[in-house]
Amino acid sequence: AQSVSQHNHHVILSEAASLELGCNYSYGGTVNLFWYVQYPGQHLQLLLKYFSGDPLVKGIKGFEAEFIKSKFSFNLRKPSVQWSDTAEYFCAVNKRDNTDKLIFGTGTRLQVFP
Amino acid sequence: GAVVSQHPSRVICKSGTSVKIECRSLDFQATTMFWYRQFPKQSLMLMATSNEGSKATYEQGVEKDKFLINHASLTLSTLTVTSAHPEDSSFYICSARDDFVARDRGPSNTEAFFGQGTRLTVV
């Protein structure tokens, strides 16, 4: 069955540190890839997405992610985190078929300390 | 971006009662909506796909009679947890895609917008 793995369950960083959150998926077909963020008490919000083209995608708030097809990975990065980045981050995969279902990873809780 | 509103945000109910959760797309039409369940420190698990004017499609292992879904209009889907038990306590989230955008780009290439979730506690 298709799955999405986020290996970092809880990450603690100081402000200005660099961030990389891992995401791997198991589906072998064509996929769309997403990173969502959930700030405390708020909706899931889309950070960035990859559909096609340049595998390095830039999202909001200085985040970026790189799709490496050979590794089935879509890791999220930010060169310098801020306290306001404290949130839960979810990677999600959408098979490009008629089902259009989003499959989510288990999430990574990021805590940034000033 | 588009807004999806869920109501209520929190609900506490007694064991054996039923609870209805609403999911509305406020500024777009959504023929299809999705219902997810999230356990603490776990992923969002897709429960069912809600289809306007037809029956919902449930994921494997999700009880249809337990989680009743009704999608009566292009902007409203409801999830009713029937005869709730403490093990049904969870965080329920809905999502929807804009029909207009999906027709143009294809559903797989259309961003899904999420409601704020409903925290259900069954006592």
Side-chain angles (χ1 to χ4, degrees), chain B residues 83-97:
Chain B
S83 187
H85 289 283
E87 57 265 30
D88 298 324
S89 298
S90 192
F91 195 59
Y92 294 87
I93 305 174
C94 70
S95 77
R97 290 186 175 92

PDB file of all heavy atoms in Angstrom, chain B residues 83-97:
ATOM      1  N   SER B  83     -24.067   6.709  17.589  1.00  0.00           N
ATOM      2  CA  SER B  83     -23.835   5.885  18.773  1.00  0.00           C
ATOM      3  C   SER B  83     -22.362   5.959  19.193  1.00  0.00           C
ATOM      4  O   SER B  83     -21.634   4.957  19.216  1.00  0.00           O
ATOM      5  CB  SER B  83     -24.240   4.429  18.485  1.00  0.00           C
ATOM      6  OG  SER B  83     -24.178   3.655  19.644  1.00  0.00           O
ATOM      7  N   ALA B  84     -21.962   7.161  19.496  1.00  0.00           N
ATOM      8  CA  ALA B  84     -20.546   7.406  19.767  1.00  0.00           C
ATOM      9  C   ALA B  84     -20.052   6.655  21.002  1.00  0.00           C
ATOM     10  O   ALA B  84     -20.790   6.482  21.979  1.00  0.00           O
ATOM     11  CB  ALA B  84     -20.330   8.906  19.935  1.00  0.00           C
ATOM     12  N   HIS B  85     -18.808   6.226  20.909  1.00  0.00           N
ATOM     13  CA  HIS B  85     -18.150   5.559  22.036  1.00  0.00           C
ATOM     14  C   HIS B  85     -16.834   6.280  22.320  1.00  0.00           C
ATOM     15  O   HIS B  85     -16.319   6.997  21.460  1.00  0.00           O
ATOM     16  CB  HIS B  85     -17.882   4.089  21.695  1.00  0.00           C
ATOM     17  CG  HIS B  85     -19.123   3.268  21.651  1.00  0.00           C
ATOM     18  ND1 HIS B  85     -19.765   2.826  22.791  1.00  0.00           N
ATOM     19  CD2 HIS B  85     -19.851   2.816  20.609  1.00  0.00           C
ATOM     20  CE1 HIS B  85     -20.839   2.136  22.444  1.00  0.00           C
ATOM     21  NE2 HIS B  85     -20.915   2.111  21.127  1.00  0.00           N
ATOM     22  N   PRO B  86     -16.291   6.086  23.502  1.00  0.00           N
ATOM     23  CA  PRO B  86     -15.035   6.781  23.829  1.00  0.00           C
ATOM     24  C   PRO B  86     -13.924   6.568  22.801  1.00  0.00           C
ATOM     25  O   PRO B  86     -13.134   7.492  22.568  1.00  0.00           O
ATOM     26  CB  PRO B  86     -14.663   6.178  25.197  1.00  0.00           C
ATOM     27  CG  PRO B  86     -15.984   5.877  25.821  1.00  0.00           C
ATOM     28  CD  PRO B  86     -16.856   5.392  24.672  1.00  0.00           C
ATOM     29  N   GLU B  87     -13.891   5.415  22.162  1.00  0.00           N
ATOM     30  CA  GLU B  87     -12.834   5.169  21.172  1.00  0.00           C
ATOM     31  C   GLU B  87     -13.021   5.990  19.895  1.00  0.00           C
ATOM     32  O   GLU B  87     -12.120   6.043  19.046  1.00  0.00           O
ATOM     33  CB  GLU B  87     -12.737   3.678  20.814  1.00  0.00           C
ATOM     34  CG  GLU B  87     -14.007   3.063  20.304  1.00  0.00           C
ATOM     35  CD  GLU B  87     -14.806   2.372  21.406  1.00  0.00           C
ATOM     36  OE1 GLU B  87     -14.724   2.826  22.574  1.00  0.00           O
ATOM     37  OE2 GLU B  87     -15.516   1.405  21.083  1.00  0.00           O
ATOM     38  N   ASP B  88     -14.193   6.638  19.769  1.00  0.00           N
ATOM     39  CA  ASP B  88     -14.416   7.533  18.618  1.00  0.00           C
ATOM     40  C   ASP B  88     -13.844   8.919  18.878  1.00  0.00           C
ATOM     41  O   ASP B  88     -13.822   9.770  17.964  1.00  0.00           O
ATOM     42  CB  ASP B  88     -15.914   7.661  18.312  1.00  0.00           C
ATOM     43  CG  ASP B  88     -16.541   6.337  17.932  1.00  0.00           C
ATOM     44  OD1 ASP B  88     -15.851   5.526  17.267  1.00  0.00           O
ATOM     45  OD2 ASP B  88     -17.704   6.095  18.307  1.00  0.00           O
ATOM     46  N   SER B  89     -13.424   9.147  20.111  1.00  0.00           N
ATOM     47  CA  SER B  89     -12.819  10.447  20.441  1.00  0.00           C
ATOM     48  C   SER B  89     -11.596  10.660  19.562  1.00  0.00           C
ATOM     49  O   SER B  89     -10.707   9.815  19.499  1.00  0.00           O
ATOM     50  CB  SER B  89     -12.417  10.487  21.918  1.00  0.00           C
ATOM     51  OG  SER B  89     -13.547  10.346  22.751  1.00  0.00           O
ATOM     52  N   SER B  90     -11.584  11.792  18.899  1.00  0.00           N
ATOM     53  CA  SER B  90     -10.507  12.045  17.947  1.00  0.00           C
ATOM     54  C   SER B  90     -10.644  13.452  17.390  1.00  0.00           C
ATOM     55  O   SER B  90     -11.540  14.199  17.777  1.00  0.00           O
ATOM     56  CB  SER B  90     -10.591  11.025  16.804  1.00  0.00           C
ATOM     57  OG  SER B  90      -9.426  11.058  15.998  1.00  0.00           O
ATOM     58  N   PHE B  91      -9.754  13.775  16.488  1.00  0.00           N
ATOM     59  CA  PHE B  91      -9.793  15.052  15.787  1.00  0.00           C
ATOM     60  C   PHE B  91     -10.229  14.760  14.360  1.00  0.00           C
ATOM     61  O   PHE B  91      -9.591  13.971  13.662  1.00  0.00           O
ATOM     62  CB  PHE B  91      -8.397  15.686  15.831  1.00  0.00           C
ATOM     63  CG  PHE B  91      -8.351  17.139  15.478  1.00  0.00           C
ATOM     64  CD1 PHE B  91      -9.082  18.067  16.195  1.00  0.00           C
ATOM     65  CD2 PHE B  91      -7.556  17.591  14.434  1.00  0.00           C
ATOM     66  CE1 PHE B  91      -9.029  19.416  15.879  1.00  0.00           C
ATOM     67  CE2 PHE B  91      -7.495  18.930  14.110  1.00  0.00           C
ATOM     68  CZ  PHE B  91      -8.237  19.851  14.834  1.00  0.00           C
ATOM     69  N   TYR B  92     -11.323  15.362  13.930  1.00  0.00           N
ATOM     70  CA  TYR B  92     -11.869  15.112  12.594  1.00  0.00           C
ATOM     71  C   TYR B  92     -11.668  16.359  11.740  1.00  0.00           C
ATOM     72  O   TYR B  92     -11.992  17.473  12.156  1.00  0.00           O
ATOM     73  CB  TYR B  92     -13.359  14.754  12.673  1.00  0.00           C
ATOM     74  CG  TYR B  92     -13.601  13.440  13.374  1.00  0.00           C
ATOM     75  CD1 TYR B  92     -13.736  13.385  14.762  1.00  0.00           C
ATOM     76  CD2 TYR B  92     -13.672  12.241  12.656  1.00  0.00           C
ATOM     77  CE1 TYR B  92     -13.927  12.172  15.410  1.00  0.00           C
ATOM     78  CE2 TYR B  92     -13.873  11.029  13.295  1.00  0.00           C
ATOM     79  CZ  TYR B  92     -13.994  11.007  14.677  1.00  0.00           C
ATOM     80  OH  TYR B  92     -14.185   9.808  15.312  1.00  0.00           O
ATOM     81  N   ILE B  93     -11.147  16.159  10.548  1.00  0.00           N
ATOM     82  CA  ILE B  93     -10.835  17.285   9.658  1.00  0.00           C
ATOM     83  C   ILE B  93     -11.440  17.028   8.283  1.00  0.00           C
ATOM     84  O   ILE B  93     -11.389  15.898   7.781  1.00  0.00           O
ATOM     85  CB  ILE B  93      -9.301  17.464   9.500  1.00  0.00           C
ATOM     86  CG1 ILE B  93      -8.627  17.626  10.855  1.00  0.00           C
ATOM     87  CG2 ILE B  93      -8.980  18.645   8.603  1.00  0.00           C
ATOM     88  CD1 ILE B  93      -7.108  17.672  10.772  1.00  0.00           C
ATOM     89  N   CYS B  94     -11.985  18.067   7.688  1.00  0.00           N
ATOM     90  CA  CYS B  94     -12.493  17.921   6.329  1.00  0.00           C
ATOM     91  C   CYS B  94     -11.652  18.767   5.374  1.00  0.00           C
ATOM     92  O   CYS B  94     -10.958  19.702   5.792  1.00  0.00           O
ATOM     93  CB  CYS B  94     -13.958  18.330   6.230  1.00  0.00           C
ATOM     94  SG  CYS B  94     -14.250  20.092   6.402  1.00  0.00           S
ATOM     95  N   SER B  95     -11.705  18.409   4.120  1.00  0.00           N
ATOM     96  CA  SER B  95     -11.028  19.222   3.113  1.00  0.00           C
ATOM     97  C   SER B  95     -11.853  19.239   1.838  1.00  0.00           C
ATOM     98  O   SER B  95     -12.702  18.375   1.619  1.00  0.00           O
ATOM     99  CB  SER B  95      -9.616  18.695   2.819  1.00  0.00           C
ATOM    100  OG  SER B  95      -9.659  17.554   1.996  1.00  0.00           O
ATOM    101  N   ALA B  96     -11.594  20.229   1.016  1.00  0.00           N
ATOM    102  CA  ALA B  96     -12.343  20.375  -0.225  1.00  0.00           C
ATOM    103  C   ALA B  96     -11.479  21.059  -1.274  1.00  0.00           C
ATOM    104  O   ALA B  96     -10.575  21.833  -0.948  1.00  0.00           O
ATOM    105  CB  ALA B  96     -13.614  21.194   0.022  1.00  0.00           C
ATOM    106  N   ARG B  97     -11.798  20.759  -2.530  1.00  0.00           N
ATOM    107  CA  ARG B  97     -11.135  21.426  -3.657  1.00  0.00           C
ATOM    108  C   ARG B  97     -12.168  22.240  -4.416  1.00  0.00           C
ATOM    109  O   ARG B  97     -13.335  21.868  -4.501  1.00  0.00           O
ATOM    110  CB  ARG B  97     -10.514  20.397  -4.603  1.00  0.00           C
ATOM    111  CG  ARG B  97      -9.315  19.677  -4.056  1.00  0.00           C
ATOM    112  CD  ARG B  97      -8.691  18.798  -5.142  1.00  0.00           C
ATOM    113  NE  ARG B  97      -7.461  18.186  -4.696  1.00  0.00           N
ATOM    114  CZ  ARG B  97      -7.390  17.001  -4.121  1.00  0.00           C
ATOM    115  NH1 ARG B  97      -8.475  16.303  -3.916  1.00  0.00           N
ATOM    116  NH2 ARG B  97      -6.221  16.504  -3.752  1.00  0.00           N
TER     117      ARG B  97
END
